[in-house]
């Protein structure tokens, strides 16, 4: 039986804030240095590092300043097609603007 590790959003946010802090410290930067490089306030960065609470825009700015933006490139991509027919079907259909449910 495979063990599935489910991480709740709040827990993941806290982990991301802690990881950002660890990367900042690894670079030898003060909080004010990273905040300036990211274009955010030191208070907002401190809140993110300590609690994980931040807007997506702030997180993206911090990630960019830390040189890790490429790690976001794979997020929320559609799953790969399981067959050539499915791939052709996706390409033939216009993209939906609204859900059906």
């Amino acid at each position: 039986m495979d063990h599935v590790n489910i991480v709740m959003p709040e827990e993941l946010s806290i982990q991301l804030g802690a990881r950002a802090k660890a990367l900042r410290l690894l670079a030898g930067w003060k909080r004010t240095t990273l905040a300036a490089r990211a274009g955010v306030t030191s208070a907002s960065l401190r809140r993110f590092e300590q609690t994980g609470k931040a807007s997506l825009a702030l997180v993206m700015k911090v990630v960019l300043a830390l040189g890790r933006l490429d790690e976001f490139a794979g997020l929320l991509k559609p799953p790969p097609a399981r067959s050539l027919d499915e791939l052709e079907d996706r390409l033939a259909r216009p993209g939906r603007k609204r859900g059906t449910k």
Side-chain angles (χ1 to χ4, degrees):
M1 180 179 200
D2 290 333
H3 176 69
V4 178
N5 187 14
I6 299 175
V7 179
M8 298 305 291
E10 298 81 13
E11 184 181 339
L12 183 56
S13 295
I14 292 168
Q15 289 175 6
L16 289 175
R19 290 176 191 168
K21 181 178 180 178
L23 289 171
R24 173 178 64 79
L25 294 173
L26 189 63
W29 295 344
K30 293 180 179 179
R31 187 176 288 132
T32 55
T33 303
L34 178 54
R37 287 176 178 244
V40 301
T41 65
S42 292
S44 294
L45 179 58
R46 181 178 61 246
R47 183 175 52 252
F48 174 51
E49 288 182 349
Q50 292 177 350
T51 69
K53 293 182 181 181
S55 68
L56 180 58
L58 183 134
V59 172
M60 298 296 279
K61 288 177 182 181
V62 170
V63 169
L64 176 63
L66 290 169
R68 305 293 288 265
L69 192 60
D70 60 320
E71 294 177 24
F72 278 82
L75 291 179
L76 303 177
K77 280 185 164 183
R82 293 176 294 230
S83 68
L84 186 56
D85 288 338
E86 184 180 339
L87 180 60
E88 289 173 345
D89 185 48
R90 285 185 190 177
L91 294 174
R93 280 187 288 148
R96 293 194 57 87
K97 302 265 190 267
R98 296 182 180 177
T100 57
K101 296 180 183 181

